[in-house]
Amino acid sequence: MRLSSVLLSPFYALQLASGAKSFADNPIIGSKTLNRMGLHAKRVSIAMDMADWRRKSLARLVTAEQRREYDENGFVKIENFLPPEVFAQVTSELENSDFDRYDMLQGTTVTRRALIDDSDVERLPGFKAARNDPRMTNLLRYVSSSDGQPLLVVQVVMALASTPSKEASADPQTALHSDTFQPTAKAWLFLKDVGEEDGPFSYVPGSHKITPQRLLWEQRISESADTIENKYSARGSLRVMPHELTALGYGQPVKMVVKANTLIVADTHGFHARCPSYKQTTRIEIYGSLRRNPFLPFTGLHVASLPVIKSQMNRLIIGAMGLRGKLGLKGSPWVKAGLGKAGEWSKRLKQPGA
């Protein structure tokens, strides 16, 4: 073990009681010896049990049908989510307003975030009504098993046409994966129809649950973490091949081909992916996420719920990632794209004929 790792060992040990997931960045989490003794498998099991325990106290936030749908599938889908007049107002506001924008390029796909905090929503009454709809927030809280404050932002996914082999695999989001070892919630309120060829979200129903086969699979991976070739798996976001799913006790992924104004809230501990698109596409949505320390014995006391943080969460997160890069730590994947329309095609992608 390197001297730096020895000196940082107390810090690495403390991370065991957090949501830290990277085998590559933490020599304790990635220890072959400890994982052969069951370290990773035990963290997974405890995190799942704690989430189940916390979620019981949040059952009142959602309907019995939503609880059943989540338990069975790992996601909840609601069509015609917003009232028609609110939905029309939201889409009009996003088409006609300028926003601070940040882009992340992965392969031939740009994911854009249009930052909207409390200082912006007064000029966007439709978006304010959608963002503050308690049904979305409550579903995120129930699925994540945390009564915290979700991140909510306008997101645009812009993809060039890709071929079934090379270009599609360059986008890591098109590989079936689990975000982390713990239950965590993400939401997409789609503002346009998402067709079969529009890079739809896909999900393996029931994969939010840990089967005995899944736990053994994760343990085997953790026992040889130093030989993991995929950098995302090495960082704790495990990739899986479709042909492996049956042996893990699951079925095949389902594509979320949906109409505009459909909300999907999913537990992204389950296996999911963005399907590759073989034509140029633009997908726009209100995106939400909520993830907290999986070992907390309580659901509240979330620092992001403090008014001074809640009111400007989007800009604080982007700013913190930028500061992290300036300090020589892990840099931010987000690049400032300037003021403009949320869905304006990104200059970081070369359009056909350009």
Side-chain angles (χ1 to χ4, degrees):
M1 184 179 289
R2 294 178 300 177
L3 178 60
S4 60
S5 295
V6 173
L7 294 175
L8 289 172
S9 56
F11 170 72
Y12 292 137
L14 286 173
Q15 287 191 322
L16 293 175
S18 75
K21 62 179 183 175
S22 178
F23 300 115
D25 298 331
N26 185 312
I28 297 179
I29 290 174
S31 168
K32 294 173 67 172
T33 300
L34 292 176
N35 285 324
R36 283 173 182 152
M37 296 169 63
L39 174 63
H40 174 71
K42 182 57 68 175
R43 291 184 84 220
V44 172
S45 297
I46 293 174
M48 299 300 289
D49 289 344
M50 290 294 292
D52 288 343
W53 183 75
R54 290 191 304 267
R55 198 174 286 116
K56 290 176 183 177
S57 69
L58 300 173
R60 69 189 186 283
L61 298 179
V62 297
T63 67
E65 175 59 24
Q66 288 167 349
R67 293 195 297 271
R68 183 205 61 77
E69 188 176 356
Y70 167 73
D71 183 65
E72 182 176 322
N73 295 321
F75 62 86
V76 177
K77 180 169 74 171
I78 304 176
E79 297 176 338
N80 301 311
F81 180 71
L82 294 175
E85 64 277 8
V86 175
F87 180 76
Q89 192 171 18
V90 171
T91 55
S92 175
E93 289 169 355
L94 296 182
E95 288 174 359
N96 298 298
S97 304
D98 290 333
F99 303 94
D100 289 330
R101 304 168 304 172
Y102 285 80
D103 289 355
M104 176 175 63
L105 177 64
Q106 293 178 305
T108 57
T109 302
V110 162
T111 301
R112 167 172 293 160
R113 298 274 173 89
L115 305 190
I116 305 177
D117 285 317
D118 282 4
S119 59
D120 308 289
V121 294
E122 295 309 320
R123 64 184 175 94
L124 305 166
F127 179 84
K128 181 179 181 180
R131 188 193 71 166
N132 294 344
D133 192 311
R135 295 174 298 157
M136 186 190 310
T137 302
N138 287 341
L139 270 170
L140 280 163
R141 287 171 173 160
Y142 179 76
V143 169
S144 70
S145 75
S146 166
D147 195 15
Q149 177 58 40
L151 168 73
L152 292 167
V153 66
V154 171
Q155 179 167 280
V156 184
V157 180
M158 295 169 280
L160 290 179
S162 57
T163 65
S165 56
K166 188 174 172 182
E167 288 87 350
S169 62
D171 180 355
Q173 301 303 322
T174 61
L176 277 174
H177 63 281
S178 168
D179 281 354
T180 184
F181 69 93
Q182 68 180 89
T184 182
K186 289 184 178 178
W188 299 264
L189 175 56
F190 296 102
L191 302 180
K192 288 185 177 181
D193 292 351
V194 181
E196 184 83 17
E197 294 298 316
D198 293 327
F201 175 71
S202 66
Y203 194 92
V204 178
S207 62
H208 64 305
K209 295 181 179 179
I210 288 289
T211 62
Q213 304 97 304
R214 167 83 173 270
L215 196 60
L216 286 173
W217 177 79
E218 294 217 14
Q219 174 147 347
R220 284 196 299 269
I221 292 174
S222 70
E223 289 174 358
S224 55
D226 58 341
T227 63
I228 298 175
E229 294 184 1
N230 183 281
K231 67 178 182 180
Y232 298 98
S233 289
R235 293 172 183 166
S237 180
L238 300 183
R239 266 53 186 166
V240 66
M241 298 299 292
H243 68 264
E244 297 179 275
L245 292 170
T246 300
L248 299 182
Y250 307 127
Q252 290 300 302
V254 174
K255 291 183 180 180
M256 304 295 179
V257 176
V258 298
K259 293 293 185 182
N261 200 19
T262 297
L263 174 71
I264 292 174
V265 181
D267 182 345
T268 54
H269 169 72
F271 291 121
H272 62 284
R274 179 169 60 223
C275 295
S277 176
Y278 305 119
K279 67 176 184 178
Q280 182 177 314
T281 61
T282 301
R283 203 180 80 190
I284 185 166
E285 59 222 17
I286 296 177
Y287 167 83
S289 66
L290 182 56
R291 180 194 303 181
R292 292 187 69 192
N293 186 318
F295 304 114
L296 293 176
F298 49 83
T299 60
L301 300 177
H302 191 196
V303 67
S305 298
L306 295 173
V308 68
I309 296 177
K310 178 181 176 182
S311 64
Q312 51 184 335
M313 187 189 299
N314 290 292
R315 288 179 172 83
L316 286 174
I317 290 173
I318 288 289
M321 287 192 289
L323 177 61
R324 185 178 62 187
K326 291 178 181 178
L327 294 174
L329 304 173
K330 182 180 177 182
S332 173
W334 297 98
V335 176
K336 189 171 179 61
L339 192 68
K341 302 292 185 292
E344 183 180 64
W345 194 262
S346 175
K347 295 180 180 178
R348 301 185 72 194
L349 287 175
K350 185 179 179 181
Q351 301 178 67

